[in-house]
Amino acid sequence: MKNTITDTNFNFPGQKSVYKGKVREVYELENDVLVMIATDRLSAFDVVMPKGIPFKGQILNQIATKMMDETKDIVPNWLKAAPDPNVAVGIKCEPFKVEMVIRGYMSGHAAREYKLGKRMLCGVRMPEGMKENDKFPEPIITPATKAEMGDHDEDISREHILERGIVSESDYGILEDYTRKLFERGTEIAASRGLILVDTKYEFGKTPQGKIVLIDEIHTPDSSRYFYAEGYKERQEKGETQKQLSKEFVRQWLIEQGFQGLEGQKTPVMSDDYIQTVSERYIELYENITGTPFIKADVKNIEDRIEKNVIDYLRSQS
């Protein structure tokens, strides 16, 4: 679709390298500076969809930067500035090769595993007698290995992470502590906006000085699942589907088209009309999660806008 950004090819001053993930593109500059650009690419089941979603990158970037600002008092993060609606600039970190997934409710992947009769997820036991979308007695941490673009993240237990030396025991203790603190704060923020933070994932890295900080995104609809708090209990009691804010609606649409990212399955192509509805849902997500109206950035030429804003910022710092 026009007015979306699905790929970038910038050459910023002092640029050393570029890394392209499923949704974000990260430019490494001199002096341990990273420029992270949130594109309009949409990833589901670890597969990037063929078309971009208007304003999705802006939405993800602005939610993530806002949430980092609202949690920096409890967990340090990599962010220094957001010079453009689609851009975050921060400190280069060495990422840990695990995603810290934390679940307050049995939904999504956990529910799919539970329905298959599994009661252990990433080495954590799930209680018997639960229904989909029930609240866990306590939030559970179910880590995943971090996949490259085109590969699938894989569940992994704390024990296997330590056995394989993916993270040291002392560092992993900090990751767990930070994960629980962020989820608790995220739960409070969500509750203040009439939402339930169901589950989410956090990524961490080490600064050049060896400090562990939060990196990437936080509490966005791509990394998190939210329910509307109003009516949650009644819907559970009646066995009804929960009203939710996340990209799960995209996953459900893909499942209906016979796609779950499995080998041999062809990625469905979304019509322009459906893409427009996805964009509108993301805007709804933004406004509910942040509690503020969404202001659309100028998308006449997104690449030129980003380049100008980033270069102006870098000059202001030199």
Side-chain angles (χ1 to χ4, degrees), residues 22 42-49 152 259 261 267:
K22 293 182 192 120
L42 175 64
S43 165
F45 296 116
D46 296 319
V47 175
V48 176
M49 299 295 112
H152 291 270
F259 181 81
T267 309

PDB file of all heavy atoms in Angstrom, residues 22 42-49 152 259 261 267:
ATOM      1  N   LYS A  22      12.227  -8.534  12.118  1.00  0.00           N
ATOM      2  CA  LYS A  22      10.916  -8.795  11.513  1.00  0.00           C
ATOM      3  C   LYS A  22      10.167  -7.494  11.255  1.00  0.00           C
ATOM      4  O   LYS A  22       9.487  -7.352  10.245  1.00  0.00           O
ATOM      5  CB  LYS A  22      10.079  -9.698  12.429  1.00  0.00           C
ATOM      6  CG  LYS A  22      10.628 -11.112  12.568  1.00  0.00           C
ATOM      7  CD  LYS A  22       9.730 -11.962  13.455  1.00  0.00           C
ATOM      8  CE  LYS A  22      10.450 -13.257  13.813  1.00  0.00           C
ATOM      9  NZ  LYS A  22      10.643 -13.420  15.236  1.00  0.00           N
ATOM     10  N   LEU A  42       4.128  -6.144   9.155  1.00  0.00           N
ATOM     11  CA  LEU A  42       3.311  -6.885  10.116  1.00  0.00           C
ATOM     12  C   LEU A  42       3.800  -8.321  10.163  1.00  0.00           C
ATOM     13  O   LEU A  42       3.885  -8.995   9.141  1.00  0.00           O
ATOM     14  CB  LEU A  42       1.840  -6.855   9.701  1.00  0.00           C
ATOM     15  CG  LEU A  42       0.868  -7.692  10.537  1.00  0.00           C
ATOM     16  CD1 LEU A  42       0.799  -7.177  11.966  1.00  0.00           C
ATOM     17  CD2 LEU A  42      -0.526  -7.673   9.913  1.00  0.00           C
ATOM     18  N   SER A  43       4.156  -8.779  11.371  1.00  0.00           N
ATOM     19  CA  SER A  43       4.633 -10.143  11.564  1.00  0.00           C
ATOM     20  C   SER A  43       3.625 -10.902  12.408  1.00  0.00           C
ATOM     21  O   SER A  43       3.121 -10.387  13.401  1.00  0.00           O
ATOM     22  CB  SER A  43       5.999 -10.117  12.266  1.00  0.00           C
ATOM     23  OG  SER A  43       6.335 -11.388  12.763  1.00  0.00           O
ATOM     24  N   ALA A  44       3.313 -12.132  11.976  1.00  0.00           N
ATOM     25  CA  ALA A  44       2.437 -13.015  12.761  1.00  0.00           C
ATOM     26  C   ALA A  44       2.907 -14.441  12.554  1.00  0.00           C
ATOM     27  O   ALA A  44       3.299 -14.815  11.435  1.00  0.00           O
ATOM     28  CB  ALA A  44       0.985 -12.856  12.333  1.00  0.00           C
ATOM     29  N   PHE A  45       2.888 -15.242  13.605  1.00  0.00           N
ATOM     30  CA  PHE A  45       3.434 -16.605  13.566  1.00  0.00           C
ATOM     31  C   PHE A  45       4.880 -16.580  13.047  1.00  0.00           C
ATOM     32  O   PHE A  45       5.305 -17.473  12.317  1.00  0.00           O
ATOM     33  CB  PHE A  45       2.563 -17.527  12.696  1.00  0.00           C
ATOM     34  CG  PHE A  45       1.169 -17.729  13.218  1.00  0.00           C
ATOM     35  CD1 PHE A  45       0.072 -17.279  12.496  1.00  0.00           C
ATOM     36  CD2 PHE A  45       0.947 -18.342  14.443  1.00  0.00           C
ATOM     37  CE1 PHE A  45      -1.228 -17.448  12.982  1.00  0.00           C
ATOM     38  CE2 PHE A  45      -0.351 -18.518  14.933  1.00  0.00           C
ATOM     39  CZ  PHE A  45      -1.425 -18.073  14.201  1.00  0.00           C
ATOM     40  N   ASP A  46       5.609 -15.498  13.404  1.00  0.00           N
ATOM     41  CA  ASP A  46       7.011 -15.324  13.012  1.00  0.00           C
ATOM     42  C   ASP A  46       7.193 -15.212  11.503  1.00  0.00           C
ATOM     43  O   ASP A  46       8.279 -15.467  10.975  1.00  0.00           O
ATOM     44  CB  ASP A  46       7.891 -16.458  13.563  1.00  0.00           C
ATOM     45  CG  ASP A  46       7.927 -16.464  15.073  1.00  0.00           C
ATOM     46  OD1 ASP A  46       8.018 -15.366  15.661  1.00  0.00           O
ATOM     47  OD2 ASP A  46       7.842 -17.546  15.672  1.00  0.00           O
ATOM     48  N   VAL A  47       6.137 -14.840  10.795  1.00  0.00           N
ATOM     49  CA  VAL A  47       6.207 -14.644   9.346  1.00  0.00           C
ATOM     50  C   VAL A  47       5.807 -13.199   9.043  1.00  0.00           C
ATOM     51  O   VAL A  47       4.823 -12.696   9.581  1.00  0.00           O
ATOM     52  CB  VAL A  47       5.256 -15.616   8.595  1.00  0.00           C
ATOM     53  CG1 VAL A  47       5.238 -15.321   7.097  1.00  0.00           C
ATOM     54  CG2 VAL A  47       5.666 -17.062   8.856  1.00  0.00           C
ATOM     55  N   VAL A  48       6.590 -12.525   8.186  1.00  0.00           N
ATOM     56  CA  VAL A  48       6.277 -11.148   7.806  1.00  0.00           C
ATOM     57  C   VAL A  48       5.260 -11.175   6.669  1.00  0.00           C
ATOM     58  O   VAL A  48       5.473 -11.838   5.644  1.00  0.00           O
ATOM     59  CB  VAL A  48       7.550 -10.386   7.387  1.00  0.00           C
ATOM     60  CG1 VAL A  48       7.201  -8.986   6.900  1.00  0.00           C
ATOM     61  CG2 VAL A  48       8.529 -10.301   8.557  1.00  0.00           C
ATOM     62  N   MET A  49       4.159 -10.474   6.862  1.00  0.00           N
ATOM     63  CA  MET A  49       3.097 -10.426   5.859  1.00  0.00           C
ATOM     64  C   MET A  49       3.553  -9.635   4.627  1.00  0.00           C
ATOM     65  O   MET A  49       4.409  -8.754   4.718  1.00  0.00           O
ATOM     66  CB  MET A  49       1.833  -9.782   6.451  1.00  0.00           C
ATOM     67  CG  MET A  49       1.249 -10.530   7.652  1.00  0.00           C
ATOM     68  SD  MET A  49       0.635 -12.175   7.222  1.00  0.00           S
ATOM     69  CE  MET A  49       1.823 -13.207   8.099  1.00  0.00           C
ATOM     70  N   HIS A 152      11.572 -19.269  13.683  1.00  0.00           N
ATOM     71  CA  HIS A 152      10.561 -19.231  14.733  1.00  0.00           C
ATOM     72  C   HIS A 152      11.218 -19.136  16.109  1.00  0.00           C
ATOM     73  O   HIS A 152      12.210 -19.814  16.381  1.00  0.00           O
ATOM     74  CB  HIS A 152       9.695 -20.499  14.686  1.00  0.00           C
ATOM     75  CG  HIS A 152       8.812 -20.566  13.475  1.00  0.00           C
ATOM     76  ND1 HIS A 152       7.536 -20.040  13.477  1.00  0.00           N
ATOM     77  CD2 HIS A 152       9.012 -21.065  12.238  1.00  0.00           C
ATOM     78  CE1 HIS A 152       6.986 -20.231  12.277  1.00  0.00           C
ATOM     79  NE2 HIS A 152       7.862 -20.848  11.513  1.00  0.00           N
ATOM     80  N   PHE A 259      -3.714 -20.630   7.757  1.00  0.00           N
ATOM     81  CA  PHE A 259      -2.285 -20.315   7.888  1.00  0.00           C
ATOM     82  C   PHE A 259      -1.889 -20.156   9.345  1.00  0.00           C
ATOM     83  O   PHE A 259      -2.520 -19.396  10.085  1.00  0.00           O
ATOM     84  CB  PHE A 259      -1.966 -19.019   7.138  1.00  0.00           C
ATOM     85  CG  PHE A 259      -0.504 -18.636   7.193  1.00  0.00           C
ATOM     86  CD1 PHE A 259       0.421 -19.224   6.353  1.00  0.00           C
ATOM     87  CD2 PHE A 259      -0.068 -17.680   8.101  1.00  0.00           C
ATOM     88  CE1 PHE A 259       1.772 -18.873   6.412  1.00  0.00           C
ATOM     89  CE2 PHE A 259       1.279 -17.315   8.167  1.00  0.00           C
ATOM     90  CZ  PHE A 259       2.184 -17.926   7.324  1.00  0.00           C
ATOM     91  N   GLY A 261       1.788 -20.324   9.879  1.00  0.00           N
ATOM     92  CA  GLY A 261       3.240 -20.212   9.739  1.00  0.00           C
ATOM     93  C   GLY A 261       3.955 -21.547   9.630  1.00  0.00           C
ATOM     94  O   GLY A 261       5.170 -21.604   9.793  1.00  0.00           O
ATOM     95  N   THR A 267       1.400 -17.899   2.626  1.00  0.00           N
ATOM     96  CA  THR A 267       0.957 -16.712   3.360  1.00  0.00           C
ATOM     97  C   THR A 267      -0.204 -16.043   2.631  1.00  0.00           C
ATOM     98  O   THR A 267      -0.064 -15.684   1.459  1.00  0.00           O
ATOM     99  CB  THR A 267       2.113 -15.698   3.509  1.00  0.00           C
ATOM    100  OG1 THR A 267       3.260 -16.366   4.031  1.00  0.00           O
ATOM    101  CG2 THR A 267       1.726 -14.555   4.426  1.00  0.00           C
TER     102      THR A 267
END
